[in-house]
Amino acid sequence: MEVTFTVRKWDEKPVDITKKDFPINIAHVEYEIDGELKGVAFVEYLLCYLETNVNDGHLSTSKISGYLHFEGSYKGKQGTFTAIEQGIFDKGNLDSPGTIIKTTGDLEGLKGSYNYKFTGQTSKLILDFQL
């Protein structure tokens, strides 16, 4: 199943600005998700830059680790879930699958994973959920 999402916030900064060659950034991110999964996801990413493009950050390459916390509904059932993500962003392509590790509310017992898919200007999550 596919749902769409938009980036509401992307606040990225170096973990330690005093270490010039330390290539780790932290990003505080919010996604608005729409479809059978509907709500807001709050994400904390650590990004380790392997290659950087100062003129266009989308052409950079970084390893990614993060946690996504979703608040909203899935197929009309309210609750939250937390997922762990790990992968790579490589020159505009994101391969960072997520796996659900904790659930609450009516989403208690939700299991599964997701991945990102970009088609033109549309950002999608491909869900593989079981409730």
Side-chain angles (χ1 to χ4, degrees):
M1 166 189 326
E2 292 184 0
V3 297
T4 60
F5 74 95
T6 54
V7 178
R8 289 196 332 191
K9 172 184 167 186
W10 188 284
D11 181 20
E12 182 176 340
K13 296 181 175 123
V15 169
D16 187 342
I17 59 172
T18 65
K19 294 181 175 72
K20 188 173 184 169
D21 293 325
F22 188 60
I24 309 294
N25 282 8
I26 187 165
H28 309 288
V29 179
E30 289 180 18
Y31 297 144
E32 187 162 339
I33 301 171
D34 196 22
E36 287 201 60
L37 182 70
K38 186 174 184 65
V40 178
F42 304 92
V43 193
E44 297 295 323
Y45 287 124
L46 284 177
L47 300 100
C48 177
Y49 282 90
L50 307 174
E51 292 179 36
T52 56
N53 185 313
V54 178
N55 297 324
D56 186 351
H58 289 100
L59 297 178
S60 298
T61 300
S62 63
K63 295 290 277 179
I64 300 168
S65 292
Y67 288 93
L68 177 144
H69 180 73
F70 171 81
E71 298 176 356
S73 64
Y74 175 61
K75 295 187 173 183
K77 297 187 177 195
Q78 293 289 324
T80 71
F81 69 79
T82 303
I84 187 168
E85 295 184 15
Q86 189 165 4
I88 190 165
F89 179 84
D90 187 24
K91 297 174 182 66
N93 298 309
L94 179 62
D95 182 14
S96 187
T99 302
I100 295 173
I101 57 174
K102 181 178 170 69
T103 58
T104 68
D106 292 338
L107 298 182
E108 188 102 23
L110 179 68
K111 297 184 183 328
S113 60
Y114 59 88
N115 209 336
Y116 295 92
K117 177 180 172 185
F118 300 101
T119 53
Q121 295 296 325
T122 305
S123 301
K124 296 184 178 191
L125 285 173
I126 310 303
L127 308 178
D128 183 14
F129 287 179
Q130 302 87 39
L131 184 60

